[in-house]
mmCIF file of all heavy atoms in Angstrom:
data_model
loop_
_atom_site.group_PDB
_atom_site.id
_atom_site.type_symbol
_atom_site.label_atom_id
_atom_site.label_comp_id
_atom_site.label_asym_id
_atom_site.label_seq_id
_atom_site.Cartn_x
_atom_site.Cartn_y
_atom_site.Cartn_z
ATOM 1 N N LYS E 402 77.590 132.686 168.672
ATOM 2 C CA LYS E 402 77.206 133.871 167.903
ATOM 3 C C LYS E 402 77.278 135.141 168.740
ATOM 4 O O LYS E 402 77.484 136.231 168.200
ATOM 5 C CB LYS E 402 75.797 133.675 167.327
ATOM 6 C CG LYS E 402 75.751 132.675 166.175
ATOM 7 C CD LYS E 402 74.341 132.298 165.793
ATOM 8 C CE LYS E 402 73.559 133.459 165.246
ATOM 9 N NZ LYS E 402 72.216 133.036 164.791
ATOM 10 N N ALA E 403 77.100 135.013 170.045
ATOM 11 C CA ALA E 403 77.215 136.192 170.913
ATOM 12 C C ALA E 403 78.653 136.722 170.911
ATOM 13 O O ALA E 403 78.883 137.919 171.078
ATOM 14 C CB ALA E 403 76.783 135.834 172.332
ATOM 15 N N ILE E 404 79.624 135.798 170.689
ATOM 16 C CA ILE E 404 81.034 136.188 170.636
ATOM 17 C C ILE E 404 81.468 136.441 169.200
ATOM 18 O O ILE E 404 82.197 137.399 168.914
ATOM 19 C CB ILE E 404 81.920 135.086 171.261
ATOM 20 C CG1 ILE E 404 81.496 134.804 172.698
ATOM 21 C CG2 ILE E 404 83.398 135.469 171.187
ATOM 22 C CD1 ILE E 404 82.191 133.605 173.314
ATOM 23 N N ALA E 405 81.034 135.579 168.301
ATOM 24 C CA ALA E 405 81.457 135.640 166.895
ATOM 25 C C ALA E 405 80.234 135.482 165.991
ATOM 26 O O ALA E 405 79.883 134.362 165.604
ATOM 27 C CB ALA E 405 82.474 134.538 166.610
ATOM 28 N N PRO E 406 79.564 136.598 165.647
ATOM 29 C CA PRO E 406 78.338 136.521 164.836
ATOM 30 C C PRO E 406 78.542 135.871 163.472
ATOM 31 O O PRO E 406 77.602 135.347 162.881
ATOM 32 C CB PRO E 406 77.936 137.998 164.685
ATOM 33 C CG PRO E 406 78.613 138.710 165.806
ATOM 34 C CD PRO E 406 79.884 137.974 166.033
ATOM 35 N N HIS E 407 79.790 135.911 162.949
ATOM 36 C CA HIS E 407 80.042 135.347 161.630
ATOM 37 C C HIS E 407 80.017 133.826 161.626
ATOM 38 O O HIS E 407 80.281 133.206 160.601
ATOM 39 C CB HIS E 407 81.387 135.850 161.079
ATOM 40 C CG HIS E 407 82.490 135.886 162.086
ATOM 41 N ND1 HIS E 407 82.570 136.825 163.073
ATOM 42 C CD2 HIS E 407 83.566 135.076 162.253
ATOM 43 C CE1 HIS E 407 83.646 136.614 163.815
ATOM 44 N NE2 HIS E 407 84.259 135.554 163.344
ATOM 45 N N TYR E 408 79.688 133.204 162.760
ATOM 46 C CA TYR E 408 79.516 131.746 162.787
ATOM 47 C C TYR E 408 78.491 131.298 161.740
ATOM 48 O O TYR E 408 78.586 130.192 161.207
ATOM 49 C CB TYR E 408 79.062 131.294 164.185
ATOM 50 C CG TYR E 408 78.693 129.821 164.242
ATOM 51 C CD1 TYR E 408 79.673 128.862 164.505
ATOM 52 C CD2 TYR E 408 77.389 129.386 164.005
ATOM 53 C CE1 TYR E 408 79.356 127.520 164.541
ATOM 54 C CE2 TYR E 408 77.073 128.041 164.024
ATOM 55 C CZ TYR E 408 78.057 127.110 164.294
ATOM 56 O OH TYR E 408 77.736 125.773 164.311
ATOM 57 N N THR E 409 77.526 132.165 161.458
ATOM 58 C CA THR E 409 76.452 131.784 160.525
ATOM 59 C C THR E 409 76.982 131.422 159.139
ATOM 60 O O THR E 409 76.308 130.721 158.391
ATOM 61 C CB THR E 409 75.422 132.924 160.397
ATOM 62 O OG1 THR E 409 76.113 134.138 160.043
ATOM 63 C CG2 THR E 409 74.696 133.145 161.697
ATOM 64 N N HIS E 410 78.200 131.878 158.796
ATOM 65 C CA HIS E 410 78.772 131.520 157.495
ATOM 66 C C HIS E 410 78.995 130.008 157.384
ATOM 67 O O HIS E 410 79.007 129.464 156.283
ATOM 68 C CB HIS E 410 80.093 132.256 157.271
ATOM 69 C CG HIS E 410 79.929 133.732 157.032
ATOM 70 N ND1 HIS E 410 79.305 134.240 155.912
ATOM 71 C CD2 HIS E 410 80.281 134.806 157.772
ATOM 72 C CE1 HIS E 410 79.295 135.561 155.964
ATOM 73 N NE2 HIS E 410 79.887 135.927 157.091
ATOM 74 N N LEU E 411 79.175 129.347 158.519
ATOM 75 C CA LEU E 411 79.373 127.898 158.485
ATOM 76 C C LEU E 411 78.113 127.162 158.065
ATOM 77 O O LEU E 411 78.180 126.014 157.612
ATOM 78 C CB LEU E 411 79.821 127.389 159.865
ATOM 79 C CG LEU E 411 81.134 127.943 160.424
ATOM 80 C CD1 LEU E 411 81.475 127.249 161.731
ATOM 81 C CD2 LEU E 411 82.267 127.769 159.426
ATOM 82 N N LEU E 412 76.971 127.819 158.211
ATOM 83 C CA LEU E 412 75.701 127.176 157.882
ATOM 84 C C LEU E 412 75.395 127.246 156.390
ATOM 85 O O LEU E 412 74.326 126.821 155.958
ATOM 86 C CB LEU E 412 74.562 127.812 158.690
ATOM 87 C CG LEU E 412 74.719 127.724 160.215
ATOM 88 C CD1 LEU E 412 73.536 128.395 160.913
ATOM 89 C CD2 LEU E 412 74.845 126.280 160.669
ATOM 90 N N LYS E 413 76.329 127.769 155.597
ATOM 91 C CA LYS E 413 76.134 127.806 154.146
ATOM 92 C C LYS E 413 76.417 126.451 153.505
ATOM 93 O O LYS E 413 76.084 126.234 152.346
ATOM 94 C CB LYS E 413 77.030 128.869 153.521
ATOM 95 C CG LYS E 413 76.699 130.293 153.934
ATOM 96 C CD LYS E 413 77.450 131.306 153.101
ATOM 97 C CE LYS E 413 78.922 131.302 153.367
ATOM 98 N NZ LYS E 413 79.642 132.397 152.672
ATOM 99 N N VAL E 414 77.068 125.560 154.259
ATOM 100 C CA VAL E 414 77.461 124.261 153.700
ATOM 101 C C VAL E 414 76.978 123.143 154.619
ATOM 102 O O VAL E 414 76.629 123.369 155.777
ATOM 103 C CB VAL E 414 78.990 124.167 153.529
ATOM 104 C CG1 VAL E 414 79.501 125.257 152.605
ATOM 105 C CG2 VAL E 414 79.701 124.246 154.878
ATOM 106 N N ARG E 415 76.978 121.917 154.075
ATOM 107 C CA ARG E 415 76.636 120.764 154.902
ATOM 108 C C ARG E 415 77.707 120.569 155.976
ATOM 109 O O ARG E 415 78.906 120.694 155.703
ATOM 110 C CB ARG E 415 76.556 119.492 154.062
ATOM 111 C CG ARG E 415 75.287 119.337 153.245
ATOM 112 C CD ARG E 415 75.221 117.921 152.680
ATOM 113 N NE ARG E 415 74.014 117.721 151.884
ATOM 114 C CZ ARG E 415 73.968 117.825 150.565
ATOM 115 N NH1 ARG E 415 75.064 118.130 149.893
ATOM 116 N NH2 ARG E 415 72.845 117.621 149.913
ATOM 117 N N PRO E 416 77.318 120.264 157.209
ATOM 118 C CA PRO E 416 78.308 119.937 158.236
ATOM 119 C C PRO E 416 78.971 118.609 157.913
ATOM 120 O O PRO E 416 78.465 117.830 157.097
ATOM 121 C CB PRO E 416 77.463 119.849 159.517
ATOM 122 C CG PRO E 416 76.088 119.491 159.039
ATOM 123 C CD PRO E 416 75.928 120.169 157.708
#
Side-chain angles (χ1 to χ4, degrees):
K402 287 169 65 176
I404 303 172
H407 42 286
Y408 173 88
T409 54
H410 289 294
L411 299 185
L412 301 180
K413 295 190 291 187
V414 301
R415 282 191 180 97

